[in-house]
Amino acid sequence: MRSRTESAALTDLPPIIANWFAAKNWSPRTHQLDVLQSWNAGASALLIAPTGAGKTLAGFLPTLQDLIHTPHEGLHTLYLSPLKALAVDVARNLTTPIGEMGLRITVETRTGDTPAARRQRQRYDPPNILLTTPEQLALLTSHPDAHRLFGSLKRIVLDELHALVTSKRGELLSLALARLAKLAPQMRITALSATVARPDLLADWIAAPLPQAPTHLLTASGGAPPVLHILDTDDRLPWAGHSAAYATPALYETIKQHRITLLFVNTRSQAEMLFQALWAINDDMLPIALHHGSLSVEQRRKVEAAMVAGTIKAVVCTSTLDLGIDWGDVDLVVQVGAPKGSSRMLQRIGRANHRLDEPSKALLVPSNRFEVLECEAALEAVEERHQDSEDPVSGGYDVLAQHILGMACADPFAADDLYAEVRRAWPYRDLPREKFDRVLDFVATGGYALRAYERYARLKKTAEGLWRIANPQVAQQYRLNVGTIIEEPMVRVRLVRGRGHKQGATTGPIGRGGRVLGEMEEYFFGTLVVGDTFMFGGEIVAFEGIRDNEAFVSRAFAKDPKIPSYMGGKFPLSTYLAERVRKMIATPEDWRRLPHQVSDWLRLQRDVSTLPGQESLLVETFPRGTQNYLVCYPFEGRLAHQTLGMLLTRRLERSRARPLGFVATEYALCIWGLGDLSALIRTDRLSLDELFSEDMLGDDLEAWLDESALMKRTFRNCAIISGLIERRHPGKEKTGRQITMSSDLIYDVLYQHEPDHILIQATRRDAARGLLDIERLGNMLRRIRKHIVHKPLDRISPFAVPMMLEIGREPIFGEGRESAMADAADELLREALG
């Protein structure tokens, strides 16, 4: 039965929509009607609803109502999504009911995959509803006719907002929203999300550009709890590594038992490996596909169409399919490798049985023993519906520089007016005028150290005191390079006729200038020689050569092809899951839930050494061969551990402990050297409290950054986003080597002559927040102060076995690698047990 509120709200629906619901034997959900009522009240809204609750329809009900009551010329609703695939999916889900109702409402998508002719036409003849991405919105607002395109805009729908507000894409989006609020002050925003830890902050985020309008925070209750399991196996659980090869036979049987299975992995390399492993045992010739961001758009669309048609059995995928996608009859989600966060896991689980009243079903497959602990922690967190999504972030100067240049491309502006507009974007609400002026000066001249070079003079001041672009080429270059997603320099991978190399005997000619398989990071091809084989797009190919920005490959046969490695795509372990893992280890009564291999491992560690405490830090030292080792277990994620390793080795050098190197994982850090670390600590020549003192984040960090290539790498990204270095030029694209050389030269000039340059400041901020995880490391150092437990050992401990395997990893692939790792683990464990 409907409540009185629902019945009253239903009368507000146009009869054509109410009849459509009735024909489907459906009733609008309360939260869908709440969004409609918020719109009718002239308010913006943030809807927090579980996966499968009909958020998309909730977001568009006000649009359909409005367009039915009042036919609208031009753009009425702008939908923004973090994924191109999600925009395409939503367009499909929206056009179906529009067609069934017989409404004359036009819907189109606009992404980087949209043909240029259609994108050009959309500026002059827009649809009623345009579904696009933050990058395309920035591009559209940079045109002089933006006021005509957006002047009729009434609504903005922001989908999966939580996935945008923690990144530079969100910063760019917030600035574009502030501009739209000026062009279309009548517009209102509806934001949708399923996984939000702090809804109040997100509500403030969408309210910032429209302070004159109220913002309603709406929530949807209900939803069947998900059904989760961790793979139960008698096979040997690996000690280290991320391939999860041991689970391939079990996964194949699982796929056979379900209609459509989505197998999520955390990196594109893992996707390629898992797909190849499944095909190697696919005796039943099941239709199994691969989907990740490096594949060509044609390949991805083909997989998506097969999911819709139900002609596919399983898809191995990365985060390209984990946000809001509702394709096909997916009845199982598999997470291969630890999920790194409960919010991300909830999001991925929701792809199965994408309906509010049916439980989603998911299987977690840990890749190694430490990941078993993390998977167990994630399972508990998901069962409790705990959210650990990150909070929105403050705005960066490089993104602001890009926006300022875009606004100059649109129209000449007064600095005072643009500053006031920028302050209406939530990430820049506290931006000091002095910083704005410095960013503006950088955009106009390059700053003090670069103003002598005419190429950096991108803005000029008019006689009326307005800022305009220096010449039309500035606008052309801006539009070619807009966006904040910085991947490693990419080259197209084109399939051509092979030449029959020994390592890659081809299957035959396929026609000259064959199809583009996708894109791969440029540096990978620097590791290959002609004839080398590797996996890409689910095929084994042989490298034939590279010219300009295209790598040529041919189909090949090979037993041990290389696995491409990608620089991006790794997720950090969430703080919340790290806390749960430490608690689990320190609570033996919780071990009964763990596989016997893992619980036995914990008991061995307790017997041979000791267990890390929930709030303390365990530091083990032991000799092995001619070297000495220090292993600690902070469980704070790879980024924080890598930074800690860099800083600790500097301090150990000063203590004459003669460190040789370190390796960091998500869970632990291992440093090795020639000095007797146990003796140094025992004789008080090395104090662990001083070694792990928080002051390492002061002078030691600064000194290391001054020497590190990390700053130059981070500066390169900031320089690209700010427009100082351009990746693309008409008809060509810079190689990675050209970009690196340009950015390194500029960095050296700025660091020497203007060390407080606004881009150097942006670089330090990015390094601290993203690449070094300084805040998290600082919190950890404060937590363990006076709570460091030192355990000197005469041999390796069971917990240190995975770390020693990380040190000794060799570039072996396939079954050979798994066998070598298992043999090495056996030897290390025998050593640990004496």
Side-chain angles (χ1 to χ4, degrees):
M1 281 185 66
R2 299 192 188 104
S3 68
R4 290 184 180 180
T5 303
E6 288 176 294
S7 299
L10 261 176
T11 62
D12 295 335
L13 282 176
I16 193 169
I17 298 180
N19 292 339
W20 177 77
F21 272 105
K24 295 281 187 181
N25 200 25
W26 294 347
S27 295
R29 298 186 185 277
T30 301
H31 58 271
Q32 294 172 330
L33 298 173
D34 288 344
V35 172
L36 186 60
Q37 289 178 324
S38 286
W39 165 254
N40 291 336
S44 293
L46 169 62
L47 172 62
I48 309 296
T51 298
K55 290 190 295 297
T56 299
L57 185 56
F60 285 105
L61 264 184
T63 298
L64 300 181
Q65 172 196 266
D66 231 30
L67 291 172
I68 290 170
H69 286 324
T70 310
H72 186 88
E73 290 295 324
L75 184 61
H76 179 285
T77 296
L78 186 68
Y79 166 95
L80 289 148
S81 122
L83 294 179
K84 291 184 287 188
L86 182 54
V88 172
D89 179 49
V90 169
R92 178 181 61 82
N93 288 335
L94 186 58
T95 53
T96 298
I98 287 175
E100 291 172 346
M101 293 183 218
L103 302 176
R104 301 186 64 181
I105 296 173
T106 53
V107 180
E108 292 183 12
T109 60
R110 180 190 176 98
T111 71
D113 297 335
T114 305
R118 188 187 306 167
R119 293 203 303 268
Q120 181 75 2
R121 191 262 303 156
Q122 286 169 342
R123 286 176 45 213
Y124 301 99
D125 181 23
N128 300 134
I129 303 172
L130 182 64
L131 302 98
T132 189
T133 60
E135 292 76 21
Q136 290 295 319
L137 177 58
L139 194 60
L140 289 169
T141 56
S142 74
H143 286 281
D145 58 1
H147 64 282
R148 184 188 57 79
L149 173 63
F150 293 112
S152 62
L153 183 67
K154 287 193 171 183
R155 299 191 68 240
I156 294 178
V157 179
L158 303 177
D159 205 355
E160 306 294 352
L161 182 60
H162 68 278
L164 287 168
V165 298
T166 60
S167 69
K168 291 192 177 188
R169 297 182 78 201
E171 297 166 26
L172 189 65
L173 173 61
S174 73
L175 292 164
L177 293 178
R179 170 48 56 107
L180 291 181
K182 177 182 178 182
L183 298 176
Q186 74 279 1
M187 77 171 191
R188 297 293 178 265
I189 298 172
T190 298
L192 312 171
S193 189
T195 50
V196 179
R198 291 284 306 278
D200 56 322
L201 285 182
L202 262 66
D204 289 345
W205 198 96
I206 66 170
L210 298 168
Q212 74 278 12
T215 298
H216 295 168
L217 178 56
L218 310 174
T219 58
S221 58
V227 177
L228 285 84
H229 298 285
I230 298 176
L231 180 67
D232 186 12
T233 179
D234 292 326
D235 291 328
R236 177 184 175 127
L237 283 167
W239 292 85
H242 300 282
S243 71
Y246 77 95
T248 306
L251 289 176
Y252 184 68
E253 291 302 315
T254 299
I255 290 170
K256 290 199 290 187
Q257 296 164 13
H258 292 82
R259 292 188 298 274
I260 299 180
T261 302
L262 285 184
L263 298 103
F264 282 105
V265 294
N266 292 335
T267 69
R268 285 170 282 182
S269 298
Q270 290 171 315
E272 293 279 356
M273 284 190 288
L274 178 58
F275 178 80
Q276 196 68 26
L278 287 171
W279 263 108
I281 61 172
N282 190 7
D283 296 334
D284 300 287
M285 296 304 293
L286 302 177
I288 301 173
L290 178 66
H291 193 289
H292 62 68
S294 291
L295 301 179
S296 67
V297 60
E298 293 80 12
Q299 175 78 1
R300 285 182 275 123
R301 294 293 175 266
K302 190 182 298 183
V303 173
E304 294 157 13
M307 289 179 67
V308 173
T311 59
I312 207 160
K313 194 68 175 171
V315 181
V316 179
C317 55
T318 59
S319 56
T320 51
L321 290 183
D322 71 357
L323 288 175
I325 305 298
D326 184 15
W327 284 327
D329 198 9
V330 177
D331 59 337
L332 178 68
V333 163
V334 177
Q335 169 65 43
V336 180
K340 305 304 172 191
S342 57
S343 291
R344 181 178 297 109
M345 193 64 232
L346 278 166
Q347 191 73 47
R348 290 181 169 182
I349 290 170
R351 308 285 66 80
N353 291 336
H354 198 79
R355 291 169 287 274
L356 182 64
D357 300 325
E358 295 186 23
S360 298
K361 184 179 177 184
L363 176 68
L364 279 65
V365 181
S367 298
N368 57 59
R369 299 186 181 210
F370 270 127
E371 283 196 353
V372 172
L373 301 173
E374 187 183 336
C375 285
E376 185 66 41
L379 188 148
E380 294 175 6
V382 168
E383 288 176 348
E384 297 170 10
R385 296 295 180 101
H386 178 85
Q387 303 288 355
D388 58 2
S389 57
E390 297 178 43
D391 292 340
V393 295
S394 58
Y397 301 139
D398 52 345
V399 178
L400 177 58
Q402 183 180 129
H403 179 72
I404 289 174
L405 184 58
M407 295 304 93
C409 293
D411 281 305
F413 64 82
D416 290 346
D417 294 343
L418 186 58
Y419 174 64
E421 179 184 310
V422 165
R423 287 278 300 266
R424 290 175 69 174
W426 189 91
Y428 296 92
R429 66 200 184 282
D430 298 322
L431 177 71
R433 179 59 189 260
E434 179 266 336
K435 295 295 186 185
F436 174 85
D437 288 340
R438 289 195 62 187
V439 176
L440 175 57
D441 179 62
F442 159 70
V443 176
T445 68
Y448 167 76
L450 300 176
R451 69 177 67 248
Y453 301 91
E454 186 176 349
R455 62 177 296 188
Y456 300 118
R458 293 177 288 172
L459 301 184
K460 292 188 180 300
K461 213 168 189 180
T462 68
E464 297 79 20
L466 303 179
W467 290 96
R468 65 169 178 83
I469 54 174
N471 55 69
Q473 187 182 2
V474 171
Q476 183 185 34
Q477 287 299 107
Y478 168 83
R479 293 179 185 127
L480 280 173
N481 292 278
V482 69
T484 62
I485 299 176
I486 304 296
E487 293 189 319
E488 292 298 304
M490 307 292 279
V491 297
R492 278 188 297 275
V493 181
R494 188 178 289 278
L495 194 62
V496 297
R497 180 181 301 177
R499 292 179 289 192
H501 300 287
K502 289 181 181 179
Q503 297 98 320
T506 64
T507 56
I510 58 170
R512 184 168 178 159
R515 63 188 173 92
V516 172
L517 296 180
E519 292 184 319
M520 284 190 58
E521 293 170 5
E522 180 185 67
Y523 87 94
F524 175 69
F525 291 100
T527 69
L528 302 179
V529 297
V530 172
D532 279 352
T533 57
F534 63 94
M535 289 194 298
F536 184 66
E539 300 188 59
I540 297 177
V541 295
F543 178 53
E544 300 287 352
I546 190 167
R547 187 176 63 209
D548 297 329
N549 277 354
E550 286 198 334
F552 300 99
V553 302
S554 61
R555 287 198 176 100
F557 296 114
K559 288 185 177 180
D560 291 311
K562 292 187 176 182
I563 311 295
S565 58
Y566 299 86
M567 299 299 288
K570 294 180 180 178
F571 300 116
L573 174 67
S574 81
T575 304
Y576 180 77
L577 289 189
E579 291 172 355
R580 279 181 172 259
V581 169
R582 290 197 304 269
K583 181 180 178 182
M584 190 181 308
I585 291 173
T587 312
E589 52 266 31
D590 290 344
W591 299 353
R592 62 181 181 274
R593 301 195 303 270
L594 301 173
H596 66 87
Q597 298 180 65
V598 177
S599 58
D600 288 347
W601 177 48
L602 295 178
R603 293 185 188 94
L604 282 175
Q605 172 68 17
R606 183 178 58 187
D607 295 342
V608 171
S609 175
T610 190
L611 291 165
Q614 186 174 350
E615 299 299 329
S616 61
L617 177 70
L618 171 62
V619 176
E620 296 175 330
T621 55
F622 53 85
R624 187 168 186 266
T626 60
Q627 296 174 1
N628 290 273
Y629 293 82
L630 181 153
V631 185
C632 59
Y633 307 91
F635 296 94
E636 292 292 348
R638 187 182 300 268
L639 290 178
H641 294 170
Q642 285 177 338
T643 304
L644 181 62
M646 295 166 187
L647 298 177
L648 286 180
T649 51
R650 292 181 67 89
R651 293 191 157 193
L652 288 170
E653 284 175 0
R654 290 203 300 269
S655 300
R656 300 188 179 180
R658 293 180 291 170
L660 297 175
F662 73 90
V663 64
T665 69
E666 294 285 355
Y667 315 103
L669 167 69
C670 177
I671 300 174
W672 63 93
L674 299 175
D676 187 342
L677 297 172
S678 297
L680 288 172
I681 296 171
R682 186 173 60 249
T683 58
D684 291 331
R685 284 188 290 164
L686 182 64
S687 165
L688 288 179
D689 285 332
E690 292 179 6
L691 184 64
F692 286 88
S693 171
E694 193 181 350
D695 64 11
M696 72 167 64
L697 301 181
D699 292 343
D700 278 338
L701 178 62
E702 291 297 317
W704 176 77
L705 285 175
D706 288 344
E707 303 168 5
S708 171
L710 176 89
M711 284 291 282
K712 286 188 175 181
R713 203 160 62 241
T714 310
F715 176 82
R716 185 195 71 185
N717 294 344
C718 290
I720 290 172
I721 290 172
S722 70
L724 186 68
I725 293 175
E726 295 158 339
R727 289 169 293 182
R728 301 179 186 92
H729 294 264
K732 61 181 180 179
E733 185 163 340
K734 282 186 178 180
T735 66
R737 184 181 297 273
Q738 290 170 326
I739 291 173
T740 299
M741 288 177 64
S742 299
S743 65
D744 286 358
L745 286 171
I746 295 172
Y747 178 83
D748 290 338
V749 169
L750 294 182
Y751 195 80
Q752 182 176 355
H753 298 288
E754 195 179 356
D756 67 336
H757 189 279
I758 203 73
L759 270 197
I760 298 291
Q761 293 183 36
T763 299
R764 288 184 173 275
R765 170 185 179 269
D766 280 6
R769 189 176 74 184
L771 297 172
L772 300 176
D773 219 343
I774 297 299
E775 181 180 359
R776 185 164 176 180
L777 179 56
N779 290 337
M780 186 274 288
L781 293 173
R782 284 188 290 275
R783 172 174 59 82
I784 65 168
R785 187 186 303 152
K786 303 298 183 183
H787 293 90
I788 300 175
V789 176
H790 175 225
K791 186 68 176 180
L793 301 168
D794 58 6
R795 60 183 184 271
I796 186 175
S797 74
F799 262 27
V801 168
M803 301 306 297
M804 304 303 288
L805 291 171
E806 291 287 339
I807 294 171
R809 286 211 293 184
E810 297 291 338
I812 304 170
F813 302 99
E815 294 180 7
R817 171 173 169 74
E818 297 301 317
S819 176
M821 292 274 281
D823 290 345
D826 285 341
E827 179 64 30
L828 288 167
L829 188 60
R830 283 194 292 270
E831 189 178 317
L833 298 177

